Amino acid sequence: MSNTIAAIATPPGTGGVAIVRVSGLDAFAIAAQVTSLKNFTGNTIRPCAFTTADGQTVLDHGLLAVFTAPRSYTGEDTVELNCHGSDYLARRLLSEVLVAGARLAEPGEFTKRAFLSGKLDLTQAESVADMLSAGGNLSLNLALQHLDGDVSREIRRLRREILQILAEIEAALDYPEEIADPDTEKIRQILGAARETTARLLADSDAGLLIKSGAQIVLAGRPNVGKSSLFNALLKHNRAIVTDIAGTTRDALEAEADIGGLKVTLLDTAGLRETTDPLERLGVERSRACLQNADLVLAIFDAASREPDADEKFWAEIKHLPHLRILNKIDLLEKVDETDSIPISAKNGVNLDLLGAKILEKLNLRRVDFSRYVYVSSLRQKNKLIQAAKHLEKCLSALGKTNYLDVLAPYLKAVAAALGEITGDEVSEEIIEQIFANFCVGK
Ligand SMILES: Nc1nc2c(c(=O)[nH]1)N(C=O)[C@@H](CNc1ccc(C(=O)N[C@@H](CCC(=O)O)C(=O)O)cc1)CN2
Ligand SMILES: Nc1nc2c(ncn2[C@@H]2O[C@H](COP(=O)(O)OP(=O)(O)OP(=O)(O)O)[C@@H](O)[C@H]2O)c(=O)[nH]1
Ligand SMILES: [Mg+2]
């Protein structure tokens, strides 16, 4: 099987430009067959003709980007055929590249090669997929932090300190005559600091995971309180039908919005009330199902039409869920005197920025600061951190009980192994396969 891989790197459909990527030992030989160029100099992009593999028929006039190993994304010789952005043309060029000797890349295989050649570590490689799915400024900055290697640097620094202690203990064990036991107090200090760092990383990982996945926010309330109006206002377009008839929304409506840089899935639901209308009742059932999966429920009340009993009944359903209380239609009031709710007017767009800030605060994302902290953002990384923290605890408790430092060695090794799996410094082939299998073709 050829070692040289190829794929279309751009999405299907019509666009300005489409890119066919080719990476591996035969990349230049293949490019010589399917282009009018014969010499390939690294870090150049040149106009040329793209042809069939037999060189007989011109298919397009485009640009060829050339990267010579190891100075490329994959670390291998790479060419990128930049053709006119036709789906057909890109697929045709890819098939000529395959005729010329490449094989189709597997999902994530370019990035996997970048990892295997040491261009990216595992947290960086994982972040490439996160860059592609970033749906707001927060998730973009989070992915970028991983891509820049900030997370790896912090994890590697921790791991180096653990390995250093391990080395000192083992040296003293191997050469008891010449090398003194390392200082217990110093070890305690280093391990204590490592415990603090892992605890901080774990505490912040929920923010990282939420930023990456985006939050599910459900708009709930009695009929006619203005759920659909707020839905439209947050989306900045009139997606949902708004009328003054109670029971307008039947099915749950779902749409993506950007709230303070956070990617959010907003769900507009049918107003919650007892009803004999079978259609409306199905809608109410759906509303209740949505509530259970919400990261946050916006519990909306109507400032102009309070119905204490009905409001209380609705509130009883919501109050045990993560929620914000919202008082809508404040434009109809002379003065707002409720302090436990966020006063807004969905219709006039009043206080929507305040609502956005409160949403971020409620989701614990208000203090996210990429310039000061790193955020673990995958369950895989988080689970490894939990393992590292567990073994660190064992080290610290053993350290309190004995002066024989060699009992620490297996725990220290386990900490280092868990940290090494995060960055990919100690990782099995199986895990690597699993990570890259989730990528798309061409990445
Ligand atoms: N056309 C194109 N655009 C792209 C990519 C790509 O592969 N091709 N990328 C793919 O995701 C991203 C950019 N990532 C890249 C990272 C490193 C190198 C690279 O050639 N690095 C060399 C040379 C560095 C240099 O000359 O300064 C190296 O690291 O040695 C290329 C792309 C986004 N845009
Ligand atoms: N004055 C005022 N009217 C509002 C405001 N928000 C919504 N309304 C009006 O309230 C009525 C109901 O609004 P909707 O957004 O359809 O309410 P809903 O909660 O989705 O209602 P259902 O789907 O029936 O449960 C409409 O006539 C809106 O124009 C507001 O902030 N101020
Ligand atoms: Mg509605």
Side-chain angles (χ1 to χ4, degrees):
M1 185 91 96
S2 170
N3 125 305
T4 302
I5 55 174
I8 301 173
T10 40
T14 309
V17 177
I19 298 180
V20 178
R21 242 189 192 172
V22 188
S23 175
L25 289 173
D26 299 329
F28 297 160
I30 290 167
Q33 267 185 266
V34 301
T35 71
S36 52
L37 300 175
K38 296 294 160 250
N39 302 306
F40 302 95
T41 319
N43 290 8
T44 57
I45 183 154
R46 275 188 297 161
C48 63
F50 296 135
T51 66
T52 48
D54 60 12
Q56 296 302 303
T57 312
V58 172
L59 298 170
D60 187 18
H61 297 280
L63 293 171
L64 188 78
V66 177
F67 306 83
T68 42
R71 295 184 62 196
S72 70
Y73 180 67
T74 55
E76 307 171 328
D77 283 347
T78 300
V79 293
E80 293 179 348
L81 290 75
N82 295 239
C83 65
H84 287 91
S86 132
D87 208 18
Y88 168 74
L89 182 56
R91 283 187 281 119
R92 180 74 193 273
L93 286 179
L94 175 63
S95 76
E96 297 304 326
V97 163
L98 299 181
V99 170
R103 73 161 166 82
L104 204 57
E106 288 161 22
E109 198 170 5
F110 291 95
T111 306
K112 183 175 170 185
R113 288 185 176 196
F115 167 69
L116 293 174
S117 71
K119 288 275 165 191
L120 301 173
D121 72 33
L122 214 45
T123 66
Q124 289 175 311
E126 281 177 298
S127 74
V128 170
D130 301 345
M131 287 296 289
L132 306 194
S133 63
N137 203 37
L138 280 169
S139 48
L140 179 63
N141 282 319
L142 176 71
L144 206 52
Q145 177 174 75
H146 285 244
L147 187 65
D148 285 343
D150 294 358
V151 182
S152 296
R153 263 187 293 281
E154 182 128 341
I155 302 290
R156 283 195 163 135
R157 185 182 54 75
L158 267 178
R159 183 164 177 267
R160 240 188 341 264
E161 285 176 357
I162 301 294
L163 290 175
Q164 177 65 29
I165 298 174
L166 187 62
E168 286 176 24
I169 290 174
E170 290 193 330
L173 213 60
D174 290 347
Y175 305 99
E177 313 286 304
E178 295 95 52
I179 300 177
D181 268 357
D183 178 20
T184 315
E185 200 38 52
K186 198 182 111 201
I187 294 182
R188 201 191 311 279
Q189 250 176 32
I190 295 174
L191 294 183
R195 166 161 66 188
E196 260 176 50
T197 308
T198 47
R200 214 266 315 141
L201 285 168
L202 275 172
D204 283 349
S205 64
D206 287 340
L209 287 164
L210 187 62
I211 290 173
K212 187 165 111 174
S213 63
Q216 291 264 348
I217 299 188
V218 174
L219 288 82
R222 290 170 31 227
N224 228 27
V225 295
K227 298 176 294 300
S228 299
S229 302
L230 181 57
F231 182 71
N232 289 342
L234 292 172
L235 289 180
K236 301 187 177 84
H237 70 263
N238 290 332
R239 167 76 205 282
I241 296 172
V242 167
T243 73
D244 56 4
I245 304 165
T248 298
T249 305
R250 298 293 172 100
D251 217 347
L253 281 180
E254 187 177 318
E256 243 171 51
D258 181 324
I259 294 185
L262 179 69
K263 181 177 81 175
V264 159
T265 304
L266 284 179
L267 284 137
D268 180 22
T269 60
L272 290 171
R273 69 168 168 189
E274 301 299 326
T275 170
T276 48
D277 177 346
L279 200 60
E280 191 179 352
R281 197 155 63 210
L282 286 172
V284 172
E285 271 170 31
R286 290 207 171 179
S287 302
R288 295 210 162 98
C290 290
L291 289 174
Q292 304 313 315
N293 297 323
D295 293 301
L296 182 63
V297 178
L298 302 185
I300 306 170
F301 295 86
D302 187 332
S305 125
R306 303 311 298 262
E307 286 178 28
D309 288 351
D311 280 348
E312 193 49 46
K313 212 161 168 198
F314 159 67
W315 180 236
E317 272 193 65
I318 304 298
K319 64 183 177 197
H320 63 280
L321 301 168
H323 66 265
L324 286 174
R325 275 180 75 105
I326 292 167
L327 188 65
N328 187 31
K329 310 194 190 179
I330 55 159
D331 52 294
L332 299 176
L333 294 186
E334 299 231 315
K335 142 170 175 303
V336 183
D337 40 31
E338 283 187 46
T339 50
D340 60 348
S341 303
I342 304 162
I344 66 161
S345 166
K347 194 168 170 180
N348 299 345
V350 175
N351 278 350
L352 296 185
D353 286 347
L354 173 73
L355 175 60
K358 294 278 185 195
I359 289 174
L360 289 193
E361 187 175 304
K362 186 74 188 176
L363 294 171
N364 290 322
L365 300 178
R366 203 54 196 288
R367 293 194 319 276
V368 165
D369 183 352
F370 294 111
S371 65
R372 290 185 58 196
Y373 302 112
V374 302
Y375 296 83
V376 162
S377 66
S378 82
L379 274 180
R380 187 191 78 82
Q381 296 168 10
K382 182 178 176 180
N383 286 335
K384 292 294 146 194
L385 260 186
I386 290 173
Q387 275 180 23
K390 206 172 72 195
H391 293 296
L392 255 181
E393 278 317 315
K394 288 189 188 153
C395 282
L396 278 157
S397 95
L399 201 56
K401 289 188 200 128
T402 174
N403 286 324
Y404 297 106
L405 292 176
D406 48 314
V407 303
L408 299 184
Y411 300 138
L412 290 169
K413 278 184 192 155
V415 176
L419 296 174
E421 279 194 59
I422 296 179
T423 54
D425 290 317
E426 277 186 55
V427 73
S428 69
E429 182 64 27
E430 206 179 333
I431 303 263
I432 294 172
E433 291 295 329
Q434 208 179 355
I435 288 172
F436 291 103
N438 293 326
F439 275 62
C440 54
V441 174
K443 201 60 232 182

